[in-house]
Amino acid sequence: MSYSIPVTVAYGDGIGPEIMEATLRILEAAKAPLAYETIQIGEKVYQSGHSAGIRPEAWESLRRTKVFLKAPITTPQGGGFKSLNVTTRKMLGLYANVRPCISYAPFVATKHPTMDVVIIRENEEDLYAGIEHQQTPEVVQCLKLISRPGCEKIVRYAFNYARQYGRSKVTCFTKDNIMKQTDGLFHQVFDEIAKEYPEIEAEHWIVDIGAAKLADTPEAFDVIVMPNLYGDILSDVAAQIAGSVGLAGSSNIGEEVAMFEAIHGSAPRRAGQNLANPSGLLLGAIMMLVHLGEGEVASKVHNAWLKTLEDGIHTYDIYKESVSTERVGTKEFADAVIARMGQLPTQLKAVHYASVKAEPIKDKLSVRKPVTTETVGVDIFLYHEDRDAALLGEGLKQYTAGPLSLSMITNRGVKVWPDGFAETFCTDHWRCRFKAGDVNNVPYEEILQLQAKLTEAGYRIIKTENLCTFDGKPAFSAGQGA
Amino acid sequence: MSYSIPVTVAYGDGIGPEIMEATLRILEAAKAPLAYETIQIGEKVYQSGHSAGIRPEAWESLRRTKVFLKAPITTPQGGGFKSLNVTTRKMLGLYANVRPCISYAPFVATKHPTMDVVIIRENEEDLYAGIEHQQTPEVVQCLKLISRPGCEKIVRYAFNYARQYGRSKVTCFTKDNIMKQTDGLFHQVFDEIAKEYPEIEAEHWIVDIGAAKLADTPEAFDVIVMPNLYGDILSDVAAQIAGSVGLAGSSNIGEEVAMFEAIHGSAPRRAGQNLANPSGLLLGAIMMLVHLGEGEVASKVHNAWLKTLEDGIHTYDIYKESVSTERVGTKEFADAVIARMGQLPTQLKAVHYASVKAEPIKDKLSVRKPVTTETVGVDIFLYHEDRDAALLGEGLKQYTAGPLSLSMITNRGVKVWPDGFAETFCTDHWRCRFKAGDVNNVPYEEILQLQAKLTEAGYRIIKTENLCTFDGKPAFSAGQGA
Ligand SMILES: NC(=O)c1ccc[n+]([C@@H]2O[C@H](COP(=O)([O-])OP(=O)(O)OC[C@H]3O[C@@H](n4cnc5c(N)ncnc54)[C@H](OP(=O)(O)O)[C@@H]3O)[C@@H](O)[C@H]2O)c1
Ligand SMILES: NC(=O)c1ccc[n+]([C@@H]2O[C@H](COP(=O)([O-])OP(=O)(O)OC[C@H]3O[C@@H](n4cnc5c(N)ncnc54)[C@H](OP(=O)(O)O)[C@@H]3O)[C@@H](O)[C@H]2O)c1
């Protein structure tokens, strides 16, 4: 080849080095035109005092090559360490996590022989913003954040993916019957963007029933797009029921940078024994070749791999007497794939990737008209040990500032004042809502003044949330209860 | 019988009335000593202007009888309606949702013939506090709240349940590698309480891998206890893969009140046709009888039902030519169960419930030593349209109050100042952390003063979170990133 594309690789921990070596040998045999820059990440780097398991030089390589093939790493137990995966995804803006979950029956045992689902998981926001605060001795909190551009990017990615790979349906999972604003936004953006792809069927399921259907009848789905947490859980479910976790690769795609890996971890108890299945990382590498526009090489490698599966050359995790012909180690599996380079599978469906280099994504975000926001009140959260809601309400009622006065108190979201039930269980964490009767746009100074009065009276404020309207519509939830 | 126990029942919507009638006929045939008070809930009540689908008189009955047998209802679409289930659970403190997911192979088709899992879902807190606030034109937020007493109650319930029903293992699912404080608390309480039940095996799985294992190999689990959201999703998965959603009942248990129901909804498209399977509600009613100390009646009904399944008398949802002998409607199914009253199953395992009335639970909450909390800073969240993090940092740096000064800015949790990456995607929602160098216990007045300065300078504060230490330990997360 007359050119070579720079790619950053990391050999990782545990089984990482073995499966990376096997993968790179296969790529070499296929004459993939790649030039590798190796970086060190993971256990040793954590232990040398880098709290995210990666050194500045490594960032520098990633930001230069913009393509990362990553073997699994071992995350040290215990506090103070940041997840390298979360860090890499978010620092580099890798917002789309793509996980094809495909069964290879009858060559790999599965209860779902015709499954072919691609899960596209939002990769940056939701509860993974990692913003946690202990509120009181009893209550801890994590923020779930969902943004409109975040939703637009991932939903558009899912529809573009479906179009590119000739898939006919995109399903969205959310829990918007409960989380009407956060998951509601995701669902709403899904409906908006679906309209731009009329040739692709679009449907939405509540995540609980959707998950049940996915686990039971995965063949009902094609592409599924989800917020981060649901995607995390359900992509593991889908990969597992398709066959082996050793058989799935994934990509993490951003506007400029992309990362490719196996979905499994470093499997320490299998490390260094020439046992591990390198297929997950190999499939990740194939996704990388497609991303780089090397569709021909990608197809060659993928088809040789399918033929190897078909021929019954299996590592321990998928070996089964009835379908396997030979039980092999990591190295021998790679040799078998190399020996089949140029062959096509005869029973499994051969792949044919187009050779189109992925352009840097210039996300088309919807142009929003300027929004008028007004503040109409504030939720003030108190740490308060006495559990008598009526007493707390009577006490707080006397404090006002400008137009702000107490309208309700909730505990864990349930209204306990006015008119609470004795059966409602109360913690030491109280949300006290102060609203401004008819006045719109309370100056923040009034909110500060109210807090000053409460503080002076001895109440312990631990957090606040403004109550806002956007273009005149209230955008905060009511209390739960009767 | 010389006594009768008052019980509140609601016939619900859709298939509700039919399956309730069938259930009550079976209970009558078994001579269950119950006296019913009927209340109306659901669609009609919502439409008559009660935003939670229930009237004050109905609450009154529930709080008096303390036992509720509930048929499914139809929740109207669209805004302004509160979930009746969430409301009932939280107002009455029904903190434990118990869902046995059992397969009845070979009589009901399933890919998991030996499954027998009980999911115990925390039923009140987590993201279901329902506290949502739109923050900025781009960002919405939902609070995930987890409390120590909430964790203690549900975990202890799970271990007591295992002990009462002779089950040998309790598994806990959380995502505490990411949510170290919220899910971390749940996991920590699980470990603490497990020690009090040395005869019961205790184990913890990260929820993603745990869910994958559950969907693939449910026979690896016995009792599983989980925070609310995971329990919602995974109990649907478990019920579905066990067989039919028409076959699972559930209980919602509080200290004083308890509610029993089918896990499915009102299946409007099957309503009024004498088609629906009444088994889910019947199994809910059996759980109610056990709760009331009527173990003998409960066993009689449950065994007659098992015998009916075995004899191949099946409603449409589980009818299969190879195992069924007769396809029946709702009424005829009930008749068949009644005809078998007193019989035992011959292949499926017969049940034998003890006749021990459930005492009102006096939750034993751990006595906590007084905790010293100190405020060491504040996270101030700004709505700010300009996306230049460096500029924002330079601007904010000059504002201080007492010991408080700017230490970091994050966007969706990722540190963007100081030393951010250009690749990091930024929304219009910025978390600005102000910390108090070495000083402990910043008076809240200083926090207000800082906010006053920022407001005067034109910054738009939309929320705050205090940074606290508890017994000297910082209890807030660091920023993510390099
Ligand atoms: N992206 C990443 O870097 C990443 C992702 C997940 C986890 N991790 C880290 O990996 C470490 C181990 O985590 P874990 O044990 O929970 O999960 P894991 O590494 O995925 O391994 C779990 C089990 O899955 C099987 N397995 C995984 N990969 C395999 C392969 N290539 N071939 C054959 N079998 C394979 C093995 O099962 P048997 O032993 O039963 O054969 C292994 O013990 C942890 O430190 C975790 O934090 C890293
Ligand atoms: N606790 C509750 O009150 C509760 C719980 C969940 C949902 N809901 C409400 O119920 C309404 C309908 O929701 P949905 O259609 O999503 O779920 P659903 O009512 O559970 O019904 C979904 C499908 O499951 C099958 N099914 C459910 N119960 C069955 C039974 N007893 N016998 C036979 N088949 C049964 C039917 O499938 P086929 O039609 O394919 O035969 C039905 O169409 C909504 O208004 C929802 O809000 C209420």
Side-chain angles (χ1 to χ4, degrees):
Chain A
M1 296 265 170
S2 55
Y3 62 100
S4 76
I5 308 167
V7 160
T8 302
V9 304
Y11 282 73
D13 302 314
I15 59 171
E18 299 159 67
I19 61 176
M20 182 58 87
E21 226 162 89
T23 298
L24 297 188
R25 273 209 298 128
I26 295 170
L27 296 189
E28 202 189 321
K31 304 209 170 61
L34 304 173
Y36 305 111
E37 284 187 20
T38 303
I39 61 172
Q40 222 197 17
I41 54 169
E43 218 172 2
K44 291 210 190 80
V45 184
Y46 277 112
Q47 274 149 10
S48 72
H50 297 270
S51 71
I54 177 166
R55 292 201 182 84
E57 314 84 87
W59 283 120
E60 205 271 311
S61 168
L62 289 176
R63 296 175 75 184
R64 183 160 24 78
T65 68
K66 303 191 192 313
V67 183
F68 185 18
L69 181 64
K70 174 180 162 291
I73 60 152
T74 302
T75 315
Q77 298 285 328
F81 299 111
K82 300 175 189 173
S83 158
L84 176 63
N85 266 335
V86 174
T87 300
T88 313
R89 289 169 188 163
K90 295 178 69 162
M91 292 296 286
L92 300 176
L94 310 182
Y95 62 84
N97 185 211
V98 181
R99 292 190 173 189
C101 301
I102 299 165
S103 48
Y104 303 98
F107 306 104
V108 178
T110 169
K111 298 195 172 85
H112 307 278
T114 59
M115 169 167 188
D116 181 2
V117 176
V118 179
I119 300 216
I120 297 188
R121 162 188 175 195
E122 197 288 317
N123 219 9
E124 296 187 279
E125 42 189 51
D126 195 354
L127 291 147
Y128 295 69
I131 306 180
E132 293 191 298
H133 295 86
Q134 183 161 356
Q135 304 273 300
T136 65
E138 284 181 1
V139 175
V140 281
Q141 170 192 281
C142 184
L143 300 184
K144 167 168 170 151
L145 297 175
I146 300 281
S147 79
R148 171 169 271 277
C151 295
E152 288 187 7
K153 285 162 64 161
I154 192 66
V155 170
R156 192 173 296 285
Y157 186 87
F159 279 98
N160 284 339
Y161 182 96
R163 190 174 268 176
Q164 183 182 348
Y165 288 93
R167 288 177 171 265
S168 59
K169 185 169 76 170
V170 179
T171 305
C172 173
F173 283 2
T174 73
K175 185 80 194 171
D176 68 339
N177 56 337
I178 298 292
M179 284 166 269
K180 296 183 200 227
Q181 291 190 60
T182 45
D183 282 17
L185 177 61
F186 197 97
H187 185 174
Q188 182 191 327
V189 168
F190 178 80
D191 287 347
E192 285 170 21
I193 289 182
K195 293 207 190 83
E196 299 176 34
Y197 298 79
E199 81 281 15
I200 297 169
E201 189 188 339
E203 63 173 17
H204 174 268
W205 292 65
I206 300 289
V207 61
D208 43 16
I209 327 264
K213 184 84 178 172
L214 176 65
D216 191 52
T217 321
E219 55 278 12
F221 298 102
D222 192 344
V223 173
I224 316 181
V225 63
M226 299 183 230
N228 205 337
L229 178 67
Y230 312 139
D232 187 7
I233 298 174
L234 298 182
S235 64
D236 266 25
V237 168
Q240 178 75 31
I241 66 175
S244 160
V245 285
L247 283 183
S250 77
S251 63
N252 295 268
I253 306 285
E255 293 197 355
E256 298 204 25
V257 183
M259 172 168 89
F260 302 87
E261 56 185 343
I263 71 153
H264 59 72
S266 59
R269 68 182 187 131
R270 302 298 182 183
Q273 299 159 62
N274 190 38
L275 279 172
N277 189 340
S279 299
L281 186 60
L282 183 65
L283 288 171
I286 290 167
M287 293 169 90
M288 176 179 77
L289 289 169
V290 175
H291 174 83
L292 293 171
E294 298 295 329
E296 210 172 302
V297 186
S299 308
K300 194 160 73 177
V301 174
H302 201 154
N303 287 325
W305 176 78
L306 288 168
K307 183 77 169 78
T308 308
L309 277 195
E310 252 186 29
D311 286 349
I313 319 285
H314 292 167
T315 43
Y316 83 95
D317 55 317
I318 57 169
Y319 183 86
K320 214 175 170 182
E321 230 159 79
S322 53
V323 288
S324 306
T325 55
E326 204 179 330
R327 181 179 185 131
V328 295
T330 313
K331 282 201 189 86
E332 295 72 28
F333 184 82
D335 293 338
V337 176
I338 292 169
R340 284 162 184 77
M341 204 59 73
Q343 299 184 29
L344 297 179
T346 54
Q347 288 180 260
L348 295 169
K349 200 161 159 264
V351 300
H352 299 283
Y353 296 110
S355 284
V356 185
K357 187 163 159 32
E359 293 293 320
I361 304 174
K362 284 285 154 268
D363 278 312
K364 180 177 132 198
L365 294 175
S366 65
V367 183
R368 294 270 125 193
K369 281 176 297 210
V371 178
T372 314
T373 77
E374 293 185 311
T375 305
V376 297
V378 63
D379 281 345
I380 296 180
F381 291 70
L382 300 181
Y383 162 32
H384 187 74
E385 289 280 4
D386 186 275
R387 309 297 156 119
D388 188 329
L391 212 65
L392 180 61
E394 292 315 301
L396 286 175
K397 232 171 56 177
Q398 56 191 301
Y399 299 97
T400 60
L404 293 169
S405 66
L406 186 67
S407 72
M408 113 183 144
I409 303 175
T410 71
N411 198 297
R412 298 193 301 178
V414 189
K415 181 164 69 81
V416 293
W417 184 93
D419 307 324
F421 278 14
E423 293 89 341
T424 306
F425 179 81
C426 289
T427 65
D428 59 5
H429 184 247
W430 306 81
R431 185 248 310 247
C432 308
R433 174 162 290 182
F434 290 83
K435 280 184 71 177
D438 284 344
V439 179
N440 287 338
N441 227 8
V442 182
Y444 196 69
E445 285 81 0
E446 307 266 28
I447 291 177
L448 291 175
Q449 212 202 329
L450 175 64
Q451 292 183 64
K453 288 184 188 172
L454 295 174
T455 304
E456 206 189 340
Y459 293 102
R460 296 161 80 165
I461 298 172
I462 48 139
K463 65 168 285 187
T464 64
E465 300 280 355
N466 290 5
L467 306 177
C468 299
T469 61
F470 289 78
D471 284 340
K473 282 201 228 62
F476 47 87
S477 52
Q480 294 170 327
Chain B
M1 295 265 169
S2 56
Y3 63 98
S4 77
I5 308 168
V7 160
T8 303
V9 304
Y11 282 72
D13 302 314
I15 59 171
E18 300 159 65
I19 61 176
M20 181 59 86
E21 227 163 87
T23 297
L24 296 187
R25 273 209 298 128
I26 295 171
L27 295 189
E28 203 189 321
K31 304 208 170 60
L34 304 174
Y36 305 111
E37 284 186 18
T38 303
I39 62 172
Q40 223 198 16
I41 55 168
E43 218 170 2
K44 289 209 191 81
V45 184
Y46 277 112
Q47 274 150 9
S48 72
H50 297 270
S51 71
I54 178 166
R55 291 200 183 83
E57 315 84 86
W59 282 121
E60 206 272 311
S61 168
L62 288 177
R63 297 174 74 184
R64 181 159 25 77
T65 68
K66 301 193 192 313
V67 183
F68 186 19
L69 182 63
K70 173 180 163 293
I73 61 151
T74 301
T75 313
Q77 297 286 329
F81 299 110
K82 300 175 190 176
S83 159
L84 176 64
N85 266 334
V86 173
T87 299
T88 314
R89 289 169 188 164
K90 296 179 71 163
M91 291 297 286
L92 301 176
L94 311 182
Y95 62 83
N97 185 213
V98 182
R99 292 191 173 188
C101 302
I102 299 166
S103 48
Y104 303 98
F107 306 104
V108 179
T110 169
K111 297 194 173 86
H112 307 279
T114 60
M115 170 167 187
D116 181 2
V117 176
V118 179
I119 301 219
I120 297 188
R121 161 187 174 194
E122 198 288 316
N123 219 8
E124 295 187 281
E125 42 190 49
D126 195 354
L127 291 149
Y128 294 69
I131 306 180
E132 292 191 298
H133 294 87
Q134 182 161 353
Q135 305 273 298
T136 65
E138 284 182 0
V139 175
V140 282
Q141 171 192 279
C142 183
L143 300 185
K144 167 169 172 150
L145 297 175
I146 300 280
S147 80
R148 171 169 270 278
C151 296
E152 288 186 8
K153 286 163 63 159
I154 191 69
V155 170
R156 190 173 298 286
Y157 186 88
F159 278 99
N160 284 338
Y161 181 96
R163 189 175 268 175
Q164 182 183 348
Y165 289 92
R167 287 178 172 264
S168 58
K169 185 169 76 169
V170 179
T171 305
C172 173
F173 283 2
T174 73
K175 184 82 196 171
D176 68 339
N177 56 337
I178 298 291
M179 285 166 267
K180 294 181 200 225
Q181 292 190 60
T182 46
D183 282 16
L185 177 60
F186 197 97
H187 186 175
Q188 182 190 328
V189 168
F190 178 80
D191 288 346
E192 284 170 24
I193 289 182
K195 292 206 190 83
E196 299 175 34
Y197 298 79
E199 81 280 16
I200 296 168
E201 188 187 339
E203 63 173 17
H204 174 269
W205 292 64
I206 299 289
V207 61
D208 44 14
I209 328 264
K213 184 84 178 173
L214 176 65
D216 191 51
T217 321
E219 55 278 12
F221 298 102
D222 192 343
V223 173
I224 315 182
V225 63
M226 299 182 232
N228 205 337
L229 178 66
Y230 311 140
D232 186 6
I233 298 174
L234 299 182
S235 64
D236 266 26
V237 168
Q240 178 75 31
I241 66 174
S244 160
V245 285
L247 283 182
S250 78
S251 63
N252 295 268
I253 306 284
E255 292 197 357
E256 301 204 24
V257 183
M259 171 168 89
F260 302 87
E261 57 185 343
I263 70 154
H264 58 73
S266 58
R269 67 181 187 134
R270 302 297 182 184
Q273 299 159 62
N274 189 38
L275 278 173
N277 190 340
S279 299
L281 186 59
L282 183 66
L283 288 172
I286 291 167
M287 294 169 90
M288 176 179 76
L289 289 168
V290 175
H291 174 83
L292 293 170
E294 299 294 329
E296 211 172 301
V297 187
S299 306
K300 196 159 70 177
V301 175
H302 201 154
N303 288 325
W305 176 77
L306 289 169
K307 183 77 169 82
T308 310
L309 276 196
E310 253 186 30
D311 287 349
I313 318 285
H314 292 166
T315 43
Y316 83 94
D317 56 317
I318 58 170
Y319 183 86
K320 214 176 169 182
E321 229 158 78
S322 52
V323 289
S324 306
T325 55
E326 205 179 328
R327 182 178 184 133
V328 295
T330 313
K331 282 201 188 87
E332 296 72 28
F333 184 83
D335 293 337
V337 176
I338 291 169
R340 285 163 183 76
M341 203 60 73
Q343 299 185 30
L344 296 178
T346 54
Q347 287 180 260
L348 294 170
K349 203 161 157 263
V351 300
H352 300 282
Y353 295 110
S355 282
V356 185
K357 187 163 157 33
E359 294 292 321
I361 304 174
K362 284 283 153 271
D363 277 311
K364 182 178 131 198
L365 294 175
S366 64
V367 183
R368 293 271 123 193
K369 282 177 299 214
V371 178
T372 313
T373 76
E374 292 185 313
T375 304
V376 297
V378 63
D379 281 345
I380 296 179
F381 292 70
L382 301 180
Y383 161 31
H384 187 75
E385 290 280 4
D386 185 275
R387 309 298 155 115
D388 188 329
L391 212 63
L392 180 61
E394 292 314 302
L396 287 174
K397 231 172 55 178
Q398 55 191 303
Y399 299 97
T400 61
L404 294 169
S405 67
L406 185 68
S407 73
M408 113 184 143
I409 302 175
T410 71
N411 197 297
R412 298 193 300 179
V414 189
K415 182 164 67 81
V416 292
W417 183 94
D419 308 323
F421 278 13
E423 292 89 341
T424 307
F425 180 80
C426 290
T427 66
D428 58 6
H429 184 248
W430 307 80
R431 185 246 312 245
C432 308
R433 175 162 290 181
F434 290 82
K435 280 185 73 178
D438 283 345
V439 180
N440 288 337
N441 227 9
V442 182
Y444 196 67
E445 286 80 0
E446 306 265 29
I447 291 177
L448 291 176
Q449 212 203 328
L450 175 63
Q451 292 184 63
K453 287 184 190 172
L454 294 175
T455 304
E456 205 190 340
Y459 293 102
R460 297 163 79 164
I461 298 173
I462 47 138
K463 64 170 287 185
T464 65
E465 300 280 355
N466 290 4
L467 305 177
C468 299
T469 62
F470 289 78
D471 284 340
K473 280 198 231 64
F476 46 87
S477 52
Q480 295 170 327

